Amino acid sequence: MFRGLRDRVERLAERLRGEVELDERRLSEILQEFELSLLESDVALSVAEEICQKLKETLTGRRVARREVEQVVRETLRSYLLELMSMPSESLEEKIRKKKEKPFVVMFVGVNGSGKTTTLAKIAHRLMNEGFSCVFAASDTYRAGAAEQLERHAERLGVRVVRHERLSDPAAVAYDAIAHARSRGKDVVLIDTAGRMETNVNLLEEMKKIARVAKPDLVLFVGDALTGNAAVEQAERFNRAVEIDGVVLTKADADAKGGTAISIVHAIRKPVLFLGTGQKYGDLEVFSPEKLVEAVVG
Ligand SMILES: Nc1nc2c(ncn2[C@@H]2O[C@H](COP(=O)(O)OP(=O)(O)O)[C@@H](O)[C@H]2O)c(=O)[nH]1
Ligand SMILES: [Mg+2]
């Protein structure tokens, strides 16, 4: 009886102070709006739902000033996303410096057209500016013209490419590139791979074989930021086949929203390292969680 009275008095006092308790009903209403805004930022539906469920769990029962309800939900979302996206990760350069014996091997995976080859060249450009020497492995032996495309980048950057003939074993190319780098004391081997979509099973088997042979220090998944859910599914599939260490999202110059990054990290819990922001070598940004969360949450 006293309990009931005390609750009533407490609620009255809250009302006088302009406070409300965040209960199920009130939260559902406001979280629906936040879910919509996540969807508008291209966050995948299942991910947006899960994030809002987490927010609900965190916030239920909290007492806040009536006019601050929205702000409290927004701040909670902001810190959730910041924590999600700020996975501890050394920079690529630190990782390379830390490895005792050369070369450091980076393998690029992703579907056709996602931007693997372009990203590989951008990263080589960046590493060479930092004083690292690079070798390319033309392990996309599948697509006609793939090795030539890589060679054009190599020529412009002044990098050696190891290539075999078309349709030869991509793992053997990677192996030779690593052997070449080892014998010449080169710092980094960057392995370009094929990304055909129509024969996924073969593709993933091929990726596994390259990874087995090359033992990459870093596997980067390259995804097109414009493809939303499709990029998330690809990331999950590649991650099951060869464990992904980090993500590069390309075409961020055409995608101001950033939800794809949130969905991928939510799905595979691997950090986004870079964003591709154009077609030039310099168009590669170190990913900033703060900037992304600002764009999504405001
Ligand atoms: N706008 C833009 N285009 C990009 C970016 N990265 C790659 N591309 C373009 O996307 C297309 C496919 O890139 P490519 O590297 O060949 O993809 P791959 O098949 O995965 O090797 C090319 O026309 C690239 O110039 C980027 O960050 N921004
Ligand atoms: Mg390519």
Side-chain angles (χ1 to χ4, degrees):
M1 202 178 93
F2 280 126
R3 175 73 103 55
L5 182 61
R6 209 165 53 212
D7 280 355
R8 281 218 299 282
V9 170
E10 175 64 19
R11 268 202 297 273
L12 181 63
E14 277 174 13
R15 197 142 6 112
L16 291 174
R17 289 198 299 266
E19 270 184 7
V20 292
E21 183 182 322
L22 296 176
D23 57 14
E24 171 84 26
R25 187 187 53 80
R26 206 183 292 271
L27 277 171
S28 293
E29 242 165 64
I30 187 154
L31 284 173
Q32 240 165 36
E33 280 165 45
F34 277 93
E35 192 177 314
L36 262 182
S37 82
L38 287 174
L39 293 177
E40 275 161 18
S41 297
D42 283 346
V43 175
L45 176 64
S46 62
V47 175
E49 282 174 351
E50 220 177 290
I51 290 174
C52 287
Q53 186 56 36
K54 287 245 165 62
L55 292 184
K56 195 185 263 180
E57 283 160 22
T58 311
L59 289 166
T60 298
R62 191 125 21 116
R63 295 167 199 282
V64 301
R66 189 185 297 277
R67 54 197 160 71
E68 282 168 8
V69 172
E70 196 186 315
Q71 199 192 329
V72 168
V73 176
R74 185 181 302 280
E75 288 316 313
T76 312
L77 174 61
R78 188 196 307 281
S79 45
Y80 174 79
L81 290 179
L82 264 180
E83 201 185 311
L84 175 70
M85 301 308 288
S86 309
M87 237 164 283
S89 165
E90 297 160 302
S91 73
L92 175 57
E93 289 79 359
E94 278 168 326
K95 287 191 215 293
I96 295 171
R97 280 193 197 100
K98 254 191 172 168
K99 186 176 178 189
K100 295 220 173 62
E101 74 283 14
K102 291 177 188 181
F104 187 92
V105 178
V106 187
M107 176 175 170
F108 293 78
V109 301
V111 302
N112 223 354
S114 62
K116 290 179 298 298
T117 306
T118 309
T119 301
L120 178 154
K122 287 175 178 178
I123 287 182
H125 175 75
R126 181 186 166 95
L127 291 177
M128 290 168 79
N129 281 341
E130 292 287 320
F132 295 109
S133 52
C134 298
V135 174
F136 292 169
S139 292
D140 179 354
T141 59
Y142 182 77
R143 191 170 65 78
E148 290 73 17
Q149 183 192 0
L150 190 63
E151 251 166 9
R152 277 197 300 279
H153 285 301
E155 255 165 49
R156 278 211 263 163
L157 293 164
V159 171
R160 170 72 196 274
V161 190
V162 173
R163 66 176 284 193
H164 296 178
E165 71 230 42
R166 178 141 186 264
L167 301 178
S168 61
D169 178 7
V173 180
Y175 185 89
D176 282 357
I178 293 167
H180 173 86
R182 193 170 287 134
S183 71
R184 305 291 162 93
K186 304 279 179 167
D187 299 311
V188 185
V189 174
L190 302 152
I191 306 174
D192 193 24
T193 66
R196 61 190 181 276
M197 267 195 245
E198 63 278 13
T199 51
N200 256 320
V201 176
N202 289 344
L203 173 66
L204 294 179
E205 287 309 312
E206 186 174 301
M207 293 304 116
K208 281 188 202 167
K209 182 172 178 198
I210 299 174
R212 233 174 13 245
V213 170
K215 299 185 184 64
D217 299 288
L218 191 73
V219 176
L220 292 180
F221 168 75
V222 180
D224 178 336
L226 296 174
T227 58
N229 281 345
V232 180
E233 278 161 30
Q234 291 154 16
E236 285 176 320
R237 230 174 303 136
F238 278 102
N239 195 38
R240 278 196 295 272
V242 285
E243 205 190 326
I244 293 169
D245 300 299
V247 176
V248 181
L249 283 174
T250 61
K251 310 182 196 181
D253 45 319
D255 169 62
K257 300 183 209 151
T260 305
I262 292 173
S263 301
I264 289 182
V265 174
H266 192 270
I268 66 169
R269 306 281 162 170
K270 299 292 161 66
V272 178
L273 303 181
F274 297 104
L275 293 181
T277 56
Q279 317 223 19
K280 295 197 295 293
Y281 291 144
D283 295 333
L284 185 75
E285 264 181 33
V286 173
F287 175 73
S288 154
E290 289 77 15
K291 215 167 132 183
L292 173 93
V293 173
E294 187 59 36
V296 170
V297 182

